[in-house]
Amino acid sequence: MIDLQRLRAVLRKELTQLLRDRITLLLIFMMPLLELFFFAYAVNLSVDHIPTAVCDLSLDVRSRDFIDALVASGYFDIAEYAAGEADVIAALDEGRVRAGIVIPPDFAAQVARGQGEVLIILDGSDTYSVQAAYSAATAIAQHHALDLMVEKLRRQGQTFELMPVESSVRVLYNPTLDGLIFIVPALIAMLLQILTVNLTAQSIVREWELGTIEQLLATPIRPLELILGKLLPNLIIAAVALVLIALIGFVGMGVPFRGSVLLFLFLSLLFAISGLGLGLLVSTVAHTQNEAESITSMLMLLSMLLTGFIYPREPMPAIVRLVGDLIPLTYFVRIVRGVVTRGVGLTLVWQDVAALAIYAALAMYLAARFFHLRLD
Amino acid sequence: MDERVTLYARNLVKVFHTRRGEVRAVDGLSLEVHRGETVGLIGPDGAGKTTTVRLILGLLRRTAGESGVLGYDSMRDPFAIRAATGYIAQRFALPPDLTVQENMRFFANVYGVPRHEQRDRIDRLLAFAGLLDFRSRLAGHLSGGMKKKLALACSLVHNPRVLILDEPTLGVDPVSRREFWNLLNDLRAVEGVSILVCTPYMDEAERCQRVALIAEGRLIACDSPAAIRRQVAGELLECRPSDVRRAKALVAELPGVLEVQTYGPSLHIFVDRADERRAAIVAALEAAGIRCRGMRRIIPQMEEAFISLLRRRQEREHA
Ligand SMILES: Nc1ncnc2c1ncn2[C@@H]1O[C@H](COP(=O)(O)OP(=O)(O)O)[C@@H](O)[C@H]1O
Ligand SMILES: [Mg+2]
C-alpha cells in the first residue's frame, strides 16, 4: 500500500522545507521555552490569599499568634470566623472559603506540652489551593512546633490524592516550589500539545493556501503517504522540543521528577501522536492559515480551562467535562502528574494511557478518512 | 473503444452544492483527445474548464456521465490515471522553498522514476525547458515564465503519454507564452504526447489541432480552428463609432446585417456581403449623427466565431 520511494520523497521535501525556514524553526523551539518560563512564574505568583474560615475554640494568645502567622504568610486571608467545625465545613461546601482551620480548646496547654494539634480542612476539589495551603500551613505549624492534622473534604467522584508525605516534607520550607511542581509538568504537556497540533495543521493548511495541494493530489501519492510524510518530521521536532523543555523544567527549574524517565518519554510519544492526529483533524476543517490559527487558539484556551491543567475538573458540569474529554491534554495532565510528580508506574495511570491510545488511533483514523482526497 | 482516443469525457456532469444553491459547473460535456493531438478547451472564466479537467483526473467526484484516460476510468482508477498523466493545475504552485533541482527530484520520486534514470531525465528536461542554469535557484525566486516552464518540466518527468494543462500561460509575458507553446508543439509532434489545454486566450486556440469551445459547462463547438472560423456566417466589418451602444442598436436593424458584436470601442458587424453593405451602414450611422471611423473589412478570428456560435446557441434554446 505504502510506496517507500514516494513516502521518502515527501519526507525529504518536508524536512528540507523545515530546515530551510530557519526563523520558523527557531520559533518552534524558542516559543515553548519562553512560554514555559513566563507561564510557570505567572501562574505561580497568582496563588495566595486563599479565603479561609477559622474556628478558634481556644481564643487565647497562642492561637492568635498562630492565626496572625497564617495571615502574615500571605497565603491565607481570613474570610470568616466560624463557631464550630461544622460551620467551617459548611463554608467550604458553599464555596465561600477554600480552606478551614480549627484550633482546639486546649491549644495553649498542648503547645506548652510541645504536642499542639491544629486541624486544617481543605477543599479537596481545588487541587492547586490545597497544595499551596497545605504546604504553607505545614511550614507555619512547624514554626509553632505543632502537628498538623489534615482532612480533606471529599466531593463526589473526587479522586485527588495529596502527594506522599515524605515528598512534601522536602519542600516544607520552600512552599512556592509547590506551585512549580503542580504547574510545570502539566505545562510541558500543554506546550507539547500546542506544538504538535500547530505544526501539523499549519504544514497541511499551508499547502492549501499555496495551492500546492492540488498538484500533490494529482500525482500518484496516496493520502496515507502524504499524511505520514508530513507527520513523521513533526514527530521528530516534537521529540526534540520535548527533551529541551523537559530539561529546562526538571533540571533548570529544579522541579522534581520522581517517576521513570523512560515511561514518561514513551507516554509523551503517545501523547504527541494524538496531538498530530488532532492537528490533522484541524487541517480537514481549516483551509487557510488564519482559520487554522483561530481553531488552535480556541483549542489552547479550552485546554487551559477544561483539562485540569489549572482548574480542577471535578466541580465542572458534566457537559463541560465532556468537552474537556475531547482534548488529549486532559488524559495526559493526569498521566504526567502521576508519573512525574507522584512517581507512580503504569499500573496506576493505565486508564488514562488507554484512553490516550484510543484517542490517538481514533484521531488518525478520522483524519485519514476525512483528509481531502478530492477537492470537492 | 477507438485505439487513438487517449482521453475522453462523455455526457460529463458536475453539480456543486453551495450555500446559494446548485451550480451546474459542467453540464453534459463530451470530448475526445486523440494520440498526438493538442485539444484546446476554450471558454471564458467560469465556463467549467478547471472543473472538467479535475473530473477527468478524479480530483472531483462526478455527478453523472463518464470520463477516462488511457482506458482507465476517472473514478475507479484515479491513481493509474495520475501515474500516466502530467498535470499543471491552474493555480500551479511548486513548493517555493525547494530549488529547481529539488522540485524535479521530488516529482521524479513521486512519479516513481527509477533512481538511475533520474539524473539523465532531469538534465534533459531542464535543458528542454531552458532551466539548466537555474538548477539551484529556489522555485519561489523564478520569474513567472520560468515557473511555468519548471512546472512543465516537473509534469513531464515520468514521460507521460497524456498532458493536461490548465491555463498554463496565465500571467506569462507574450514572449514566454510563445516559447511555452513551442515546447508543447515539440512534445506533441516529436513524442506523440496527447495534450488537453485549457485557456481563455482565443489566440492560443489557433495553436491547437482542435478546439472545444465551452460556455456554462456546455460544449458549443468542437472542431479545428479553421473549421470553427468557417462556421461563422457572412463577412465581417469593423469600425469605431462615436456612440457604440446606439450604433449597435441601429446597425442591427439594417438590411443584410446578420449579427453585431461590441469589442470595447469597436463594433464588429457580420453582413452577407461586406462590399455592398459598407456604404449603407456608414450612411445610416451618419444620418443618426454618429461619426464612424476606420470602417474596414477583417477576417473573423476565433473570438468572433466563439461569440457568434454562443449567440446562435442561445437563440436556438430560447426559440
Ligand atoms: N469547489 C466548488 N464549489 C462550488 N462551485 C464551484 C467550485 N469550483 C468551481 N465552481 C463553480 O463552477 C463554475 C465553473 O468553474 P471553473 O471550472 O473553475 O471554470 P473555469 O476554469 O472555466 O474558469 C463556476 O461558476 C465556479 O464558481
Ligand atoms: Mg479555471
Side-chain angles (χ1 to χ4, degrees):
Chain A
M1 179 65 223
I2 289 177
D3 177 277
L4 277 184
Q5 190 183 7
R6 289 194 298 255
L7 178 59
R8 238 181 287 143
V10 181
L11 276 174
R12 168 148 352 123
K13 164 180 169 292
E14 292 298 318
L15 282 172
T16 311
Q17 288 179 302
L18 266 172
L19 294 177
R20 201 150 279 167
D21 192 355
R22 292 274 159 76
I23 295 178
T24 304
L25 201 60
L26 194 71
L27 280 179
I28 287 175
F29 290 113
M30 287 308 294
M31 284 306 285
L33 293 184
L34 289 176
E35 280 163 352
L36 180 62
F37 272 112
F38 291 137
F39 217 103
Y41 288 107
V43 170
N44 194 37
L45 290 176
S46 63
V47 174
D48 45 16
H49 299 286
I50 300 160
T52 307
V54 172
C55 167
D56 186 354
L57 298 173
S58 179
L59 284 172
D60 57 21
V61 183
R62 299 313 301 241
S63 64
R64 289 270 160 65
D65 268 0
F66 181 67
I67 292 168
D68 286 345
L70 289 176
V71 174
S73 75
Y75 277 92
F76 299 95
D77 281 349
I78 311 292
E80 58 186 85
Y81 286 94
E85 200 179 315
D87 292 344
V88 173
I89 292 174
L92 274 161
D93 268 344
E94 285 158 26
R96 279 180 279 135
V97 297
R98 284 189 289 163
I101 287 165
V102 182
I103 300 173
D106 54 346
F107 183 68
Q110 283 187 15
V111 174
R113 288 198 304 273
Q115 45 176 260
E117 269 190 359
V118 171
L119 178 64
I120 171 162
I121 308 172
L122 301 167
D123 179 355
S125 65
D126 191 350
T127 52
Y128 196 24
S129 306
V130 164
Q131 295 207 0
Y134 173 63
S135 15
T138 318
I140 297 158
Q142 290 274 322
H143 280 295
H144 285 252
L146 298 173
D147 288 332
L148 214 53
M149 282 182 50
V150 178
E151 195 176 274
K152 281 177 290 145
L153 279 185
R154 288 188 181 270
R155 289 256 162 85
Q156 213 182 0
Q158 167 66 27
T159 55
F160 173 79
E161 281 167 41
L162 281 180
M163 292 179 298
V165 174
E166 54 303 0
S167 63
S168 48
V169 169
R170 266 205 288 136
V171 296
L172 277 184
Y173 295 101
N174 183 9
T176 51
L177 186 56
D178 252 19
L180 288 183
I181 289 180
F182 177 75
I183 207 74
V184 166
L187 185 54
I188 290 174
M190 166 102 168
L191 294 175
L192 192 59
Q193 179 182 286
I194 295 175
L195 188 69
T196 47
V197 173
N198 276 4
L199 272 179
T200 307
Q202 292 294 344
S203 74
I204 292 173
V205 167
R206 198 183 48 177
E207 302 260 11
W208 278 100
E209 257 190 0
L210 286 174
T212 44
I213 197 88
E214 180 170 4
Q215 206 62 48
L216 292 184
L217 292 181
T219 70
I221 296 181
R222 305 301 193 268
L224 193 60
E225 293 159 358
L226 193 58
I227 290 176
L228 281 181
K230 286 201 165 282
L231 292 192
L232 288 177
N234 291 348
L235 195 57
I236 295 171
I237 289 195
V240 174
L242 170 71
V243 170
L244 252 155
I245 3 182
L247 276 179
I248 301 259
F250 295 119
V251 181
M253 295 167 118
V255 173
F257 191 109
R258 300 206 176 85
S260 151
V261 174
L262 221 59
L263 182 62
F264 168 71
L265 289 179
F266 171 72
L267 294 177
S268 298
L269 199 71
L270 184 63
F271 176 58
I273 292 173
S274 67
L276 298 176
L278 188 57
L280 267 181
L281 278 178
V282 170
S283 77
T284 61
V285 282
H287 272 191
T288 66
Q289 301 201 39
N290 273 341
E291 282 170 24
E293 231 153 71
S294 312
I295 295 178
T296 49
S297 309
M298 187 66 182
L299 180 68
M300 183 167 142
L301 187 68
L302 292 180
S303 299
M304 292 212 290
L305 298 176
L306 304 184
T307 60
F309 165 43
I310 298 175
Y311 306 103
R313 278 164 50 79
E314 289 73 19
M316 297 175 187
I319 180 83
V320 176
R321 270 212 306 269
L322 202 67
V323 176
D325 287 338
L326 298 175
I327 305 173
L329 187 62
T330 301
Y331 310 101
F332 198 61
V333 159
R334 288 197 291 256
I335 291 175
V336 92
R337 290 212 170 115
V339 170
V340 171
T341 310
R342 296 210 300 275
V344 303
L346 200 51
T347 43
L348 284 182
V349 290
W350 72 269
Q351 281 168 319
D352 283 318
V353 173
L356 199 56
I358 293 172
Y359 189 103
L362 204 63
M364 286 292 170
Y365 171 76
L366 287 178
R369 191 69 212 285
F370 292 115
F371 190 76
H372 298 256
L373 303 175
R374 301 198 160 90
L375 296 161
D376 49 352
Chain B
M1 192 200 294
D2 191 333
E3 269 283 286
R4 298 169 305 147
V5 175
T6 50
L7 181 154
Y8 78 96
R10 200 162 301 134
N11 300 321
L12 200 56
V13 176
K14 175 66 188 180
V15 177
F16 287 111
H17 299 276
T18 64
R19 245 166 281 152
R20 279 177 286 115
E22 289 189 351
V23 178
R24 289 184 87 81
V26 176
D27 195 0
L29 192 85
S30 298
L31 178 77
E32 277 183 0
V33 181
H34 297 167
R35 183 172 315 123
E37 181 186 44
T38 301
V39 172
L41 197 56
I42 317 267
D45 275 350
K49 305 182 293 293
T50 300
T51 306
T52 302
V53 299
R54 283 177 175 170
L55 286 171
I56 289 170
L57 282 163
L59 292 170
L60 291 174
R61 201 181 293 276
R62 65 193 169 208
T63 308
E66 271 185 76
S67 68
V69 177
L70 297 169
Y72 299 110
D73 181 84
S74 301
M75 284 293 109
R76 283 190 291 277
D77 291 311
F79 291 112
I81 290 182
R82 293 170 199 172
T85 306
Y87 174 53
I88 303 185
Q90 176 169 346
R91 278 189 64 202
F92 186 95
L94 295 155
D97 37 7
L98 292 187
T99 65
V100 168
Q101 175 80 17
E102 285 163 348
N103 263 298
M104 293 292 293
R105 276 234 179 251
F106 172 68
F107 281 97
N109 282 320
V110 156
Y111 279 112
V113 177
R115 295 199 76 81
H116 61 273
E117 286 180 28
Q118 288 185 5
R119 192 125 85 93
D120 281 353
R121 208 176 292 178
I122 289 174
D123 285 355
R124 193 170 50 76
L125 282 169
L126 286 181
F128 164 77
L131 288 170
L132 268 182
D133 296 337
F134 300 96
R135 220 186 254 281
S136 52
R137 185 173 291 194
L138 292 181
H141 291 173
L142 294 175
S143 72
M146 285 200 281
K147 272 186 196 147
K148 294 292 182 178
K149 285 184 209 157
L150 176 59
L152 184 61
C154 286
S155 68
L156 290 173
V157 75
H158 54 305
N159 280 342
R161 291 162 58 202
V162 175
L163 199 54
I164 297 178
L165 311 171
D166 194 354
E167 304 199 18
T169 58
L170 194 72
V172 172
D173 67 88
V175 178
S176 299
R177 259 171 74 184
R178 184 144 358 101
E179 284 172 8
F180 192 90
W181 273 95
N182 289 339
L183 294 180
L184 289 189
N185 199 48
D186 290 351
L187 278 174
R188 181 193 64 77
V190 181
E191 321 245 339
V193 177
S194 315
I195 303 175
L196 178 66
V197 56
C198 304
T199 176
Y201 299 125
M202 299 292 168
D203 56 328
E204 291 190 339
E206 303 285 348
R207 305 207 52 160
C208 301
Q209 270 68 53
R210 286 189 304 135
V211 293
L213 298 179
I214 68 168
E216 291 170 353
R218 273 175 286 181
L219 194 69
I220 304 294
C222 184
D223 217 326
S224 71
I228 290 217
R229 269 185 270 111
R230 276 198 304 275
Q231 286 193 29
V232 190
E235 296 168 347
L236 183 57
L237 290 169
E238 184 196 53
C239 70
R240 297 172 138 251
S242 53
D243 183 342
V244 179
R245 253 167 29 121
R246 261 181 66 222
K248 184 181 177 186
L250 196 137
V251 170
E253 301 303 320
L254 294 177
V257 173
L258 305 169
E259 185 175 341
V260 187
Q261 301 173 358
T262 47
Y263 287 83
S266 304
L267 219 52
H268 287 195
I269 308 160
F270 287 91
V271 291
D272 46 5
R273 286 175 304 278
D275 296 331
E276 267 175 46
R277 304 293 178 187
R278 179 196 305 227
I281 292 172
V282 173
L285 284 173
E286 269 165 8
I290 300 171
R291 280 198 305 114
C292 174
R293 271 170 300 139
M295 174 72 82
R296 63 194 179 106
R297 187 171 166 193
I298 57 173
I299 308 289
Q301 297 296 310
M302 193 59 75
E303 195 154 2
E304 287 89 10
F306 181 70
I307 292 173
S308 179
L309 289 170
L310 187 58
R311 188 164 140 146
R312 257 191 264 166
R313 163 100 179 211
Q314 279 164 349
E315 279 169 5
R316 222 180 316 138
E317 268 166 16
H318 290 154

PDB file of all heavy atoms in Angstrom, chain A residues 32 46 48 87 138 161 224 240 247 275 302 330 357 368:
ATOM      1  N   PRO A  32       8.130  27.546  23.010  1.00  0.00           N
ATOM      2  CA  PRO A  32       7.780  26.749  24.195  1.00  0.00           C
ATOM      3  C   PRO A  32       8.657  27.091  25.392  1.00  0.00           C
ATOM      4  O   PRO A  32       8.178  27.134  26.523  1.00  0.00           O
ATOM      5  CB  PRO A  32       8.029  25.308  23.739  1.00  0.00           C
ATOM      6  CG  PRO A  32       7.987  25.345  22.270  1.00  0.00           C
ATOM      7  CD  PRO A  32       8.473  26.694  21.864  1.00  0.00           C
ATOM      8  N   SER A  46       0.217  33.805  41.179  1.00  0.00           N
ATOM      9  CA  SER A  46      -1.178  34.173  41.389  1.00  0.00           C
ATOM     10  C   SER A  46      -1.836  33.357  42.498  1.00  0.00           C
ATOM     11  O   SER A  46      -2.974  33.606  42.834  1.00  0.00           O
ATOM     12  CB  SER A  46      -1.954  34.007  40.098  1.00  0.00           C
ATOM     13  OG  SER A  46      -1.937  32.649  39.748  1.00  0.00           O
ATOM     14  N   ASP A  48      -2.173  32.731  46.085  1.00  0.00           N
ATOM     15  CA  ASP A  48      -2.019  33.019  47.507  1.00  0.00           C
ATOM     16  C   ASP A  48      -3.340  33.640  47.948  1.00  0.00           C
ATOM     17  O   ASP A  48      -4.316  33.611  47.201  1.00  0.00           O
ATOM     18  CB  ASP A  48      -0.826  33.951  47.773  1.00  0.00           C
ATOM     19  CG  ASP A  48      -0.775  35.104  46.801  1.00  0.00           C
ATOM     20  OD1 ASP A  48      -1.809  35.353  46.128  1.00  0.00           O
ATOM     21  OD2 ASP A  48       0.259  35.763  46.702  1.00  0.00           O
ATOM     22  N   ASP A  87     -19.528  24.489  60.995  1.00  0.00           N
ATOM     23  CA  ASP A  87     -19.689  25.736  60.248  1.00  0.00           C
ATOM     24  C   ASP A  87     -18.568  25.911  59.228  1.00  0.00           C
ATOM     25  O   ASP A  87     -18.780  26.411  58.116  1.00  0.00           O
ATOM     26  CB  ASP A  87     -19.688  26.932  61.210  1.00  0.00           C
ATOM     27  CG  ASP A  87     -20.937  26.943  62.079  1.00  0.00           C
ATOM     28  OD1 ASP A  87     -21.892  26.216  61.708  1.00  0.00           O
ATOM     29  OD2 ASP A  87     -20.946  27.655  63.101  1.00  0.00           O
ATOM     30  N   THR A 138       1.694  23.854  56.819  1.00  0.00           N
ATOM     31  CA  THR A 138       2.682  22.975  57.417  1.00  0.00           C
ATOM     32  C   THR A 138       3.905  23.760  57.870  1.00  0.00           C
ATOM     33  O   THR A 138       4.408  23.575  58.978  1.00  0.00           O
ATOM     34  CB  THR A 138       3.128  21.895  56.401  1.00  0.00           C
ATOM     35  OG1 THR A 138       1.995  21.440  55.711  1.00  0.00           O
ATOM     36  CG2 THR A 138       3.797  20.746  57.105  1.00  0.00           C
ATOM     37  N   GLU A 161      -5.388  12.918  45.348  1.00  0.00           N
ATOM     38  CA  GLU A 161      -4.611  12.473  46.492  1.00  0.00           C
ATOM     39  C   GLU A 161      -3.489  13.464  46.732  1.00  0.00           C
ATOM     40  O   GLU A 161      -2.858  13.928  45.809  1.00  0.00           O
ATOM     41  CB  GLU A 161      -3.979  11.112  46.201  1.00  0.00           C
ATOM     42  CG  GLU A 161      -4.959   9.970  46.348  1.00  0.00           C
ATOM     43  CD  GLU A 161      -4.384   8.709  45.749  1.00  0.00           C
ATOM     44  OE1 GLU A 161      -3.181   8.463  45.941  1.00  0.00           O
ATOM     45  OE2 GLU A 161      -5.146   7.992  45.086  1.00  0.00           O
ATOM     46  N   LEU A 224      -2.345   8.406   2.526  1.00  0.00           N
ATOM     47  CA  LEU A 224      -1.630   7.911   3.705  1.00  0.00           C
ATOM     48  C   LEU A 224      -0.146   8.284   3.639  1.00  0.00           C
ATOM     49  O   LEU A 224       0.466   8.644   4.652  1.00  0.00           O
ATOM     50  CB  LEU A 224      -1.788   6.390   3.794  1.00  0.00           C
ATOM     51  CG  LEU A 224      -1.354   5.779   5.130  1.00  0.00           C
ATOM     52  CD1 LEU A 224      -2.161   6.361   6.269  1.00  0.00           C
ATOM     53  CD2 LEU A 224      -1.496   4.264   5.088  1.00  0.00           C
ATOM     54  N   VAL A 240      12.354  16.425  19.943  1.00  0.00           N
ATOM     55  CA  VAL A 240      13.486  17.285  20.306  1.00  0.00           C
ATOM     56  C   VAL A 240      13.014  18.392  21.253  1.00  0.00           C
ATOM     57  O   VAL A 240      13.632  18.661  22.291  1.00  0.00           O
ATOM     58  CB  VAL A 240      14.128  17.894  19.044  1.00  0.00           C
ATOM     59  CG1 VAL A 240      15.210  18.890  19.433  1.00  0.00           C
ATOM     60  CG2 VAL A 240      14.705  16.793  18.166  1.00  0.00           C
ATOM     61  N   LEU A 247      14.151  19.255  29.974  1.00  0.00           N
ATOM     62  CA  LEU A 247      15.439  19.534  30.622  1.00  0.00           C
ATOM     63  C   LEU A 247      15.361  20.855  31.384  1.00  0.00           C
ATOM     64  O   LEU A 247      15.784  20.950  32.531  1.00  0.00           O
ATOM     65  CB  LEU A 247      16.551  19.605  29.578  1.00  0.00           C
ATOM     66  CG  LEU A 247      17.162  18.259  29.176  1.00  0.00           C
ATOM     67  CD1 LEU A 247      18.224  18.457  28.116  1.00  0.00           C
ATOM     68  CD2 LEU A 247      17.745  17.575  30.402  1.00  0.00           C
ATOM     69  N   GLY A 275      -1.671  14.395  19.455  1.00  0.00           N
ATOM     70  CA  GLY A 275      -1.659  15.806  19.065  1.00  0.00           C
ATOM     71  C   GLY A 275      -1.539  15.965  17.558  1.00  0.00           C
ATOM     72  O   GLY A 275      -2.205  16.809  16.953  1.00  0.00           O
ATOM     73  N   LEU A 302      -9.355  26.361  25.525  1.00  0.00           N
ATOM     74  CA  LEU A 302     -10.124  25.269  26.123  1.00  0.00           C
ATOM     75  C   LEU A 302      -9.219  24.349  26.931  1.00  0.00           C
ATOM     76  O   LEU A 302      -9.596  23.860  27.992  1.00  0.00           O
ATOM     77  CB  LEU A 302     -10.849  24.473  25.032  1.00  0.00           C
ATOM     78  CG  LEU A 302     -11.982  25.214  24.319  1.00  0.00           C
ATOM     79  CD1 LEU A 302     -12.621  24.333  23.257  1.00  0.00           C
ATOM     80  CD2 LEU A 302     -13.035  25.662  25.321  1.00  0.00           C
ATOM     81  N   THR A 330      -6.256  16.473  28.561  1.00  0.00           N
ATOM     82  CA  THR A 330      -6.982  16.039  29.749  1.00  0.00           C
ATOM     83  C   THR A 330      -6.405  14.747  30.310  1.00  0.00           C
ATOM     84  O   THR A 330      -6.161  14.624  31.511  1.00  0.00           O
ATOM     85  CB  THR A 330      -8.469  15.828  29.397  1.00  0.00           C
ATOM     86  OG1 THR A 330      -8.993  17.056  28.912  1.00  0.00           O
ATOM     87  CG2 THR A 330      -9.249  15.374  30.612  1.00  0.00           C
ATOM     88  N   ALA A 357      -4.368   6.292  24.062  1.00  0.00           N
ATOM     89  CA  ALA A 357      -4.049   5.439  22.915  1.00  0.00           C
ATOM     90  C   ALA A 357      -5.251   5.361  21.981  1.00  0.00           C
ATOM     91  O   ALA A 357      -5.122   5.485  20.758  1.00  0.00           O
ATOM     92  CB  ALA A 357      -3.637   4.049  23.388  1.00  0.00           C
ATOM     93  N   ALA A 368      -7.457  10.562   8.478  1.00  0.00           N
ATOM     94  CA  ALA A 368      -7.175   9.907   7.198  1.00  0.00           C
ATOM     95  C   ALA A 368      -8.470   9.770   6.399  1.00  0.00           C
ATOM     96  O   ALA A 368      -8.500   9.911   5.184  1.00  0.00           O
ATOM     97  CB  ALA A 368      -6.548   8.539   7.426  1.00  0.00           C
TER      98      ALA A 368
END
